[in-house]
Amino acid sequence: MIDPLSSIVALLQPKAAFSKVVHAAGTWRIRREEIGNPFYCVVLEGNCEFTLKGDEPIFLTAGDFILVPEAHAFTVASSNPPALDEADTVPIKTAASTYFVGETEQELNAHLLIGHCQFEAPDSKILVSLLPKLVHLREAKRLTTLVELVIEESLAQRPGRDSVLVRLLEILLIEAFRTKMDTPEVPGLLVGLADERLAMAIRKIHQDVSKAWTIDQLAKEASLSRSSFFQRFSKAVGYTPMEYVIAWRMAIAKDLLRRQTFTMATIAERIGYQSASAFSSAFSKHTGQPPSKFLVEDGLVERKSQEV
């Protein structure tokens, strides 16, 4: 059966943007305003504080891993950070992708691996909305190894570098999310997959997206009554079952449109619509624009013509 988590991570199309090693000493604070790109951090040695805007600080120690799928504003600081009215610390580059922050005359108090990446998918918002706002894992040895591999591969200029980085990032994200499934906190895909009965229905949706699913059919897959399934699914995932089906269909449709190797009729058939016009109507209703306009605004039509 198709694994929903793997299929979502693959559709996100993660791409490495920047990774670095950070050594810190004394009192320090790094504040970042992001544009919604994923951020991850591993503490190799020492400790520090991580604060996502609007949340309480999280105390991190050696072996801790943090992942924010959509970071907008966050702070990483020493366990005793500077006063709020003091200036933020400016990192000093000491070698390729290696930085020092803090007070040079003080002892080191943190050794961090930090990375940013990008989701290239045009519909990453809907996919990210199914994932946790923040993943915090302790004793994350496997994830530490993966982050080290990402940084090592980023620094190297070996053949196939970009492809290797994409695969490493996919593995990194899947490992983080599936580990988080043990302690789900807010509605989303991980909460749904952690529920054995709902997981059966979610896997069926991903396995056969072209099927004209109904609430009754999905409830039967989950071995639940229609009303119990609807309420349980909506509460766990944050979408009604049919909203999830349509969102997943549109995510696949956008991916197929971007490839520009399939006709509208073929795409319609693949995701469960009887005609190109029915697909176009559903796509327009869901995204606010027809498939042809999506291609133009995404720049795909123009790029294709330039290639020709």
Side-chain angles (χ1 to χ4, degrees), residues 261-275:
T261 54
F262 303 99
T263 64
M264 292 294 179
T266 299
I267 294 175
E269 182 181 0
R270 285 198 173 198
I271 63 172
Y273 293 96
Q274 295 184 343
S275 66

Side-chain angles (χ1 to χ4, degrees), residues 244-265:
Y244 186 86
V245 169
I246 293 172
W248 183 240
R249 284 179 173 178
M250 294 303 112
I252 293 177
K254 287 182 179 180
D255 181 56
L256 295 175
L257 285 168
R258 284 173 61 86
R259 298 186 196 182
Q260 294 193 84
T261 54
F262 303 99
T263 64
M264 292 294 179

Side-chain angles (χ1 to χ4, degrees), residues 72-253:
H72 289 282
F74 62 89
T75 302
V76 185
S78 54
S79 54
N80 293 309
L84 292 176
D85 59 353
E86 293 185 30
D88 295 335
T89 309
V90 178
I92 301 171
K93 189 172 185 177
T94 57
S97 295
T98 302
Y99 292 79
F100 173 84
V101 296
E103 303 167 289
T104 55
E105 68 277 10
Q106 298 294 324
E107 291 186 5
L108 294 176
N109 54 30
H111 178 194
L112 314 173
L113 301 181
I114 290 176
H116 302 259
C117 62
Q118 297 173 342
F119 292 145
E120 298 287 281
D123 56 333
S124 61
K125 290 284 185 183
I126 183 66
L127 298 174
V128 169
S129 72
L130 298 171
L131 302 171
K133 182 176 73 170
L134 181 147
V135 174
H136 174 210
L137 304 171
R138 298 193 183 278
E139 297 298 323
K141 295 180 180 179
R142 285 165 61 90
L143 286 162
T144 297
T145 300
L146 286 167
V147 174
E148 289 175 334
L149 288 171
V150 168
I151 291 180
E152 177 187 323
E153 192 65 33
S154 297
L155 293 173
Q157 295 297 324
R158 291 178 287 194
R161 171 181 175 274
D162 291 345
S163 295
V164 170
L165 280 172
V166 168
R167 299 296 175 267
L168 285 173
L169 284 171
E170 287 183 352
I171 296 170
L172 176 85
L173 293 169
I174 292 170
E175 177 68 17
F177 293 137
R178 72 179 182 182
T179 305
K180 181 67 175 176
M181 281 174 61
D182 296 333
T183 56
E185 297 168 356
V186 295
L189 178 67
L190 301 192
V191 183
L193 291 177
D195 184 319
E196 291 185 6
R197 294 197 177 187
L198 295 183
M200 290 300 297
I202 294 171
R203 289 192 181 97
K204 285 292 185 180
I205 293 170
H206 283 247
Q207 180 182 352
D208 191 359
V209 71
S210 65
K211 184 170 180 176
W213 291 107
T214 65
I215 297 289
D216 290 334
Q217 290 172 329
L218 291 172
K220 185 177 179 180
E221 294 291 345
S223 300
L224 292 168
S225 69
R226 188 182 193 279
S227 59
S228 294
F229 171 72
F230 182 89
Q231 294 174 2
R232 194 157 156 177
F233 189 102
S234 302
K235 182 179 179 181
V237 181
Y239 287 80
T240 68
M242 289 301 100
E243 285 174 341
Y244 186 86
V245 169
I246 293 172
W248 183 240
R249 284 179 173 178
M250 294 303 112
I252 293 177

